[in-house]
Amino acid sequence: MLKFVKGYMENIEGVATYPMISLMIFFVFFIVLFWWVFTASKDYVREVSEIPLDNNNQQNIEL
């Protein structure tokens, strides 16, 4: 099976660019996520972290 895939991939021109593109997308996504985590306001983080403990939210789900 691996020989088939390797032989097939060798015949495609420019196939080496696809792993580089996916690596760049992966890298950019995590850099943006890292930036967002460290620049998020403390009030927003506190508000969102308290959502599971909010009694009003639990009552709305049960209805």
Side-chain angles (χ1 to χ4, degrees):
M1 174 87 177
L2 185 60
K3 290 180 182 180
F4 173 74
V5 172
K6 183 179 177 183
Y8 181 71
M9 292 298 215
E10 287 175 348
N11 293 333
I12 299 174
E13 291 194 26
V15 74
T17 58
Y18 297 118
M20 292 304 296
I21 292 171
S22 62
L23 178 66
M24 291 304 297
I25 291 171
F26 179 81
F27 184 73
V28 167
F29 173 77
F30 280 101
I31 292 296
V32 169
L33 187 65
F34 185 76
W35 172 78
W36 180 78
V37 165
F38 282 105
T39 59
S41 71
K42 302 300 178 189
D43 293 332
Y44 175 74
V45 172
R46 188 177 303 114
E47 179 183 342
V48 172
S49 68
E50 292 174 357
I51 288 175
L53 304 174
D54 187 15
N55 288 333
N56 293 334
N57 189 21
Q58 292 296 326
Q59 290 172 357
N60 291 339
I61 292 173
E62 293 173 0
L63 295 176

